[in-house]
Every structure is written in structure tokens, then in C-alpha cells.
Amino acid sequence: MAIWTTYRIADAATEIEDEKFVLPVIQRPLVWTEEKMELLFDTLLKGDSFGAIMAIEEEKGAQPLFNYRPFTKDGCFIPSRQAGTLTQQQLFIIDGQQRLQTFYIGLKGSINGKILYFDLFSDYNSEFEFKFENNMSSLPKQTKEDRAIQKHLWYSIKDLLQKLKNTGKYKQIVKMIIEENSISDESHKDCIEENVLAFYENVLNSNTLGISKVVINKCLPDRTEEESAIENRQKIVEMFRRLNDGGTKLSSFELVASILKGFDWRMENFLNQMLDSYQDIGLSQENLIKLVFLLQDNYSKEMSLLEYSDANFAIKNADKIKAAIKALKNFLDKAELLKFYQNNNSSFIPLFFIVYHLFHKDIEVLKIERYFDNYDSGNTDFPLMKKWLYHSLLNGVFRSRGAGWVPYKTGVKKILEIIKNFRNKDFPTGELFKVYNEKLNAFTIFYSSENLHKLDKDFLFFLMYDCKPPARVNDIDHIMPRKILSDKGIEWDKINNIKNYQLIDYSTNRGNKNDTPFAKWINGADKRGEKNVKDKKAFLRLHLIPANEDLWSEDRCLDFQEKRAKIILEKITSYIPS
């Protein structure tokens, strides 16, 4: 059953401030941009529809279905609180959070340190202009050419609201604004009056906000109080899922997160805490939820089959999951892969299984957390995991294309089938390599000049350059210029090959090196007489270039590449345990 109630926008903002409107734990944080918020105020003042709000009405003295949090006044996320008996009647907003947040922030708060301003010279017949800004001096001064008034008159929304509330007479405020700004032009005065009137009518005077209050039967037939609460929560979460078909859509995993939080409010803190600590290595909300499923040996669980047991598993094992992920980050650091994951959008899939292996060890939580403290002595898992991960990354096992399987379907399924049989045993590197050899188009742990170009280029560069992420200003440069080699009839796959690639800054690559023979460039100087390469030995060492200058001629490019391939192979294999 639903009951419709209408509100003035200003009253709704006050009720939000008094926590009469709150957000149930299933709601996600604020996601709207400043621009979208500004457009909503334009829609409001035009009198256009912006959709209804849906809420659960909870009575004073009741135990609410969901724990909740207040609306944010500054855009920062506020953790949910555990709800006891309510001290006042409250509306738990199920649909319309972003719109209500926008009105509350615009009228009473700020976003990113910026408050909302209204241009009182807006062309009220076509567009009401709003802008979030830190201060008046940062606001635009000149307007679009097609506007009637070729300048702005910005006014703080909070100030305008307060003055209109204090007087209740919009004409008095119009007169005051005109006097404050010494406006003499009659058309400008009319414009101010029309804009202030539109704001007054749609924010303070008219019931422009519609709220559908959903009434819940908390005493279901043949159910205990707790059983009724669980069933009602599931109904509300399902309603929340269906309502998401419109508005600002949640991803499938945002919906999963909402459902899990609906089962147990502590899931919000669990998810947020983990993301705050480990987002830098690629632990997204989606990956964290996948991990919760995977740890239960159910990697492909459908959202429609989510159960209370999933949230209960995560909360019950939260400390152990946190310890395993902390150990994972320590492993990446000791294995010299931390910077790769922090600076490369690499697949998280192999990291799932390192966490899985650690989580299922029958040891204390503190020992899991410190599992790799002795990585270099007496830890049998460390070299096996490092070897498996390095070879997996080099072969591009978890690339979305080209590996020969769908990584999060066939890949995860086949790896899980193996690894779950090795709980409390050494990490099964050899058995996983057998799976790779059976299922992938190509996999090898033996690297040569012939297969070097088939390996994952991003990870190769990472290893070639001392396990340091390439600078963002770097280009992939042909050491021996593509045009020169092409003119000499060298095959395309010999030109565009890792053996002929280096990373250098784009200004050099696109400057005097461009199409210049390599030997001439490396030994040459620019127009000002400065050497192109000031420290030649360091340059050769950095880019793994053969020191024998006889090989630097484009006529000997194939000999150069073979020699360089040996240097690259020595470098990358030096990181991998034998």
C-alpha cells in the first residue's frame, strides 16, 4: 500500500536536515555530478516534472527494517548507524536519493567545497542558469551571445532562500537586490523579478515534490517478528532493484552490494573499509563481492540467488578476509609486483586465487596477515606463487582477448577446480600450468627470441625497466626507425617487435630522433649543440641496448635484435624463481 504526500522543496530540505528523511543502508553514496545537480534546479524552476520520490514510512517508537544514515550536507559519505527504537517518525528513501541530495546540498550545503549560485539575469524563458563555485570571483562573468542580457548577476542560493523565508515577500527581496546592485535598466529589473519569482514559487510556495510512502505490514501471518522483518527486507530490496531500471542506474554489482547490505548492515562498513585500504591494487567493489562468492567455491553465483548466508559469511569471516588481502598486498610488494598493479589496469583474477589459498589455510588470522614476513626463507608458497603469477602475466593468461578462454568464466572455473583441492598444501603451480597447456592457445615458461614478441607487452616493459611503471609521458619508440627499416625491405613483424621497442619521452621521440638512423641520433647533438644522449652508458643500460656499436647500423638490424633479445631474456628471467 502506498500513500501520496506532497511537499514544498524548502520544507523537504528542512526535514532532511532534521533527519526526518534518511537513507537506508542499501542506498549507495551520492554519484551525481555538479552539472547534473545544476540541471535539476533548472528543471525545478521551469516547473517540469523531475519524478516522484519513494519512501518507507517508519513510525516513532518502531524498530526500523534497515539501519540508516543521514543525507550528506557536503557530498562526503556518512557511514550508516545501527538503528534502535526511533525517536521520531522517519521516511527511509528507497528511490530519489540523488534528487533529494541535490536539493539539500544546493539549498543548505555544498559539494567539493562549492556552494550553489543562481544567475538572476538568466533568460527565464529558456534556461535558468546555476553554478557551483568556491567564491563569487570564480564565477563566469560573460554570457553566451544569444542571451538578452550579456552579463551575469550571480546570487547565493542559500542567501536567497534565507531572505525569502525571513520575509515571505518575494517583491521585497527583488527590490533589495535591485538596490544592492544599483540596477537602473527596466528590462534588467524585470529579469531579476521573474527569476526570483520562479525560485520563490517552485522552492517555497508550491508543493512541487511528490513522495509515495510505502506502508509495510510488519506482522505477517504465520511469521515471527524476526521472520517478518527478514521477508520485508527482501521485498524492499527487490523493489529497490526494480526501481533501478530508471534513473541513475546501479551496476549489477552495486545492486549486489545493496542486497548484501540489506541482509546485514555491517556489510557497508566491510565493503567501504576494504576499498579504502586496497583500491590501489585493483580491489573494486565488484572484485570484493566476487571474492566473497569465490571463497565459498561459488564464483558464478547469480544475483537473484543471493542469500543471507552470503552477507553472514563475509561478516563472520571479515577479519580473515582482511588478513588474506593484507598478505596479498605484502606478497605483491615482496614479489616486486606492487607498482605494476598500482599503475596498470591489470586483471585482478590471479590475485583472487592468492587470497583464496591464504584464506583457506588452517592457521590463525594474525599468521595469515604476516604470512610473507619470511618470504625469503622457509616460505614454500612464496616462490611458487611468484613463479605462477609472473608466467601468467607474461603469457597474458588473463587478457580479455587472445588467450584462448574467457578469463572470468572458463579461466576461473578451471583454476578453482584445481586450487580448492590444495587447501593447507603448497600452492599448486605445476598443476595450474598443466591447465594452461590444456586450455590456452599458447603458454610457455621457456622464453626465447622467437616467442618474445608473443608475450604481454605491458608486463614485458615493466620487467625490462626494473619493475618500474613507465612514465605517462613516454612513447613506445622504434629504436631503429620504422621508415628506414621499411625502405630496406625488412618484414613488418621484424620492425614492430619488442626487440625494436624502447620507452622514451614523446618530445624526444617526436623531435630530432624521428626517422633519424639510431647510431647517428645516439651519437649526435641537437641544433643548440647539446648531446642527444648525455650519458650513453646509462642510456644503453636502461634500454637494454647492445653496447657493440657495430650492431647499431640499420643494415644489421636483425643481428641487433637477436643480441638485444638475449639481454631482454636475461633481464626478465632474473625475476622469476627457477
Side-chain angles (χ1 to χ4, degrees):
M1 178 181 175
I3 301 170
W4 281 92
T5 306
T6 56
Y7 288 80
R8 297 184 301 177
I9 296 295
D11 292 340
T14 299
E15 302 246 307
I16 289 171
E17 191 166 42
D18 294 340
E19 295 191 20
K20 292 181 180 179
F21 290 12
V22 293
L23 296 168
V25 69
I26 60 176
Q27 284 279 18
R28 63 175 164 182
L30 174 68
V31 296
W32 272 19
T33 62
E34 294 173 17
E35 182 180 12
K36 198 161 186 177
M37 290 180 173
E38 292 159 4
L39 288 172
L40 180 61
F41 274 91
D42 172 57
T43 301
L44 172 66
L45 265 61
K46 285 176 179 173
D48 294 341
S49 172
F50 51 82
I53 307 298
M54 187 168 287
I56 305 171
E57 187 171 52
E58 295 278 14
E59 295 295 330
K60 179 181 178 181
Q63 176 73 39
L65 283 176
F66 297 101
N67 294 285
Y68 66 90
R69 66 180 186 270
F71 281 75
T72 175
K73 203 170 187 177
D74 59 6
C76 296
F77 181 77
I78 302 172
S80 295
R81 62 183 63 154
Q82 188 168 10
T85 302
L86 297 182
T87 57
Q88 63 177 341
Q89 185 184 66
Q90 289 179 306
L91 291 180
F92 285 60
I93 304 302
I94 299 300
D95 185 49
Q97 178 207 171
Q98 306 297 327
R99 285 164 283 163
L100 287 180
Q101 275 284 191
T102 295
F103 291 137
Y104 183 46
I105 285 172
L107 295 173
K108 289 182 173 286
S110 62
I111 184 81
N112 301 319
K114 304 174 184 178
I115 65 170
L116 186 61
Y117 290 89
F118 178 25
D119 180 14
L120 298 183
F121 281 162
S122 293
D123 186 348
Y124 52 88
N125 290 312
S126 61
E127 181 183 12
F128 294 97
E129 294 186 48
F130 293 87
K131 185 73 176 173
F132 279 101
E133 199 49 80
N134 297 97
N135 52 64
M136 292 280 288
S137 62
S138 302
L139 288 160
K141 294 178 175 57
Q142 297 300 316
T143 66
K144 294 174 282 189
E145 291 181 4
D146 57 351
R147 255 184 45 157
I149 301 177
Q150 295 296 304
K151 59 181 179 178
H152 295 285
L153 179 59
W154 295 107
Y155 210 89
S156 163
I157 284 291
K158 286 197 280 190
D159 290 347
L160 182 59
L161 175 65
Q162 194 58 51
K163 288 171 181 176
L164 287 169
K165 270 187 165 185
N166 290 341
T167 63
K169 299 177 180 179
Y170 83 90
K171 287 195 174 183
Q172 182 178 330
I173 302 305
V174 169
K175 183 179 179 182
M176 182 193 70
I177 292 171
I178 289 172
E179 290 175 354
E180 283 178 351
N181 293 276
S182 303
I183 306 296
S184 57
D185 187 290
E186 291 301 320
S187 65
H188 290 186
K189 291 179 182 180
D190 290 342
C191 190
I192 293 171
E193 181 168 356
E194 290 292 339
N195 281 299
V196 173
L197 175 60
F199 183 86
Y200 175 76
E201 281 294 327
N202 291 286
V203 175
L204 285 109
N205 197 44
S206 302
N207 290 337
T208 49
L209 178 69
I211 295 185
S212 174
K213 299 178 182 179
V214 180
V215 179
I216 302 295
N217 180 4
K218 292 196 174 181
C219 297
L220 298 173
D222 303 320
R223 308 283 202 285
T224 65
E225 187 176 336
E226 180 59 27
E227 287 170 343
S228 296
I230 291 172
E231 190 169 324
N232 278 322
R233 285 191 200 106
Q234 291 174 333
K235 286 179 181 177
I236 295 300
V237 169
E238 175 59 20
M239 181 195 302
F240 180 76
R241 185 190 68 78
R242 285 187 277 111
L243 287 169
N244 179 60
D245 289 340
T248 305
K249 290 185 179 294
L250 283 77
S251 71
S252 60
F253 278 92
E254 284 177 318
L255 279 170
V256 172
S258 293
I259 294 170
L260 291 174
K261 288 185 284 185
F263 283 132
D264 192 316
W265 76 285
R266 292 171 294 177
M267 280 298 298
E268 179 183 79
N269 183 57
F270 171 75
L271 292 170
N272 290 344
Q273 190 179 76
M274 297 304 292
L275 297 184
D276 287 345
S277 300
Y278 301 106
Q279 203 166 23
D280 64 326
I281 59 172
L283 186 65
S284 61
Q285 179 172 265
E286 178 176 337
N287 285 332
L288 185 53
I289 293 171
K290 285 180 177 179
L291 178 62
V292 169
F293 297 159
L294 189 70
L295 293 176
Q296 301 175 82
D297 294 333
N298 194 349
Y299 73 96
S300 59
K301 187 157 191 169
E302 296 292 333
M303 184 177 67
S304 60
L305 300 177
L306 281 175
E307 301 169 299
Y308 171 75
S309 60
D310 294 304
N312 189 51
F313 174 86
I315 297 303
K316 182 180 177 181
N317 294 285
D319 289 342
K320 199 170 187 181
I321 294 172
K322 292 173 188 175
I325 295 176
K326 184 175 182 179
L328 163 68
K329 189 168 182 177
N330 192 26
F331 165 79
L332 293 175
D333 184 33
K334 306 300 186 187
E336 300 183 82
L337 292 172
L338 183 58
K339 291 181 180 178
F340 180 74
Y341 270 89
Q342 288 176 328
N343 293 273
N344 190 289
N345 189 25
S346 192
S347 172
F348 200 84
I349 292 175
L351 306 191
F352 285 139
F353 292 103
I354 293 174
V355 174
Y356 182 99
H357 190 72
L358 296 170
F359 176 85
H360 286 292
K361 284 191 173 294
D362 189 17
I363 57 177
E364 298 171 5
V365 169
L366 188 59
K367 288 185 177 179
I368 292 176
E369 189 176 302
R370 298 178 176 175
Y371 192 70
F372 295 109
D373 285 359
N374 67 333
Y375 76 99
D376 55 350
S377 61
N379 189 312
T380 55
D381 274 331
F382 179 80
L384 291 170
M385 288 178 173
K386 183 178 178 182
K387 182 177 181 178
W388 172 71
L389 188 50
Y390 267 75
H391 287 303
S392 297
L393 293 172
L394 277 168
N395 282 270
V397 168
F398 301 105
R399 283 186 299 225
S400 58
R401 294 182 181 179
W405 64 9
V406 179
Y408 199 75
K409 291 184 179 179
T410 312
V412 170
K413 178 183 177 182
K414 292 300 179 183
I415 294 173
L416 183 59
E417 286 174 356
I418 296 296
I419 205 166
K420 69 182 181 181
N421 296 318
F422 284 83
R423 296 180 180 183
N424 281 315
K425 299 178 183 178
D426 288 342
F427 191 80
T429 298
E431 287 72 13
L432 294 175
F433 286 167
K434 289 178 185 176
V435 171
Y436 289 172
N437 283 318
E438 290 171 5
K439 299 295 179 183
L440 298 180
N441 291 333
F443 175 78
T444 184
I445 61 172
F446 303 105
Y447 307 118
S448 65
S449 177
E450 286 70 35
N451 63 26
L452 197 57
H453 69 285
K454 297 179 181 179
L455 303 181
D456 183 82
K457 187 163 77 256
D458 289 338
F459 193 54
L460 266 177
F461 278 135
F462 178 75
L463 298 183
M464 287 167 60
Y465 287 93
D466 301 316
C467 291
K468 296 175 183 176
R472 294 187 182 277
V473 295
N474 279 344
D475 274 349
I476 297 178
D477 167 60
H478 293 80
I479 298 173
M480 293 186 174
R482 178 170 47 190
K483 184 177 185 310
I484 296 176
L485 296 182
S486 179
D487 290 345
K488 290 182 178 294
I490 302 299
E491 296 176 7
W492 199 244
D493 63 345
K494 300 291 185 183
I495 299 173
N496 297 306
N497 192 297
I498 193 71
K499 292 179 279 189
N500 191 40
Y501 287 156
Q502 65 179 348
L503 297 176
I504 61 173
D505 66 277
Y506 65 83
S507 59
T508 299
N509 182 38
R510 302 171 198 184
N512 62 354
K513 186 182 183 301
N514 191 27
D515 291 339
T516 304
F518 176 65
K520 181 179 179 181
W521 173 80
I522 197 171
N523 290 312
D526 61 19
K527 294 178 180 179
R528 296 171 297 178
E530 294 184 8
K531 291 182 178 180
N532 292 330
V533 177
K534 295 178 181 178
D535 187 339
K536 194 158 67 174
K537 284 186 178 180
F539 184 90
L540 300 179
R541 185 168 58 250
L542 174 64
H543 297 287
L544 308 182
I545 291 174
N548 183 358
E549 297 195 23
D550 292 339
L551 299 175
W552 292 359
S553 166
E554 278 70 20
D555 291 326
R556 297 195 62 187
C557 73
L558 300 183
D559 294 331
F560 171 86
Q561 290 186 18
E562 287 306 302
K563 180 62 177 176
R564 187 165 187 257
K566 291 180 181 179
I567 300 173
I568 293 172
L569 289 167
E570 286 176 7
K571 186 65 173 284
I572 65 174
T573 54
S574 69
Y575 291 106
I576 307 173
S578 59

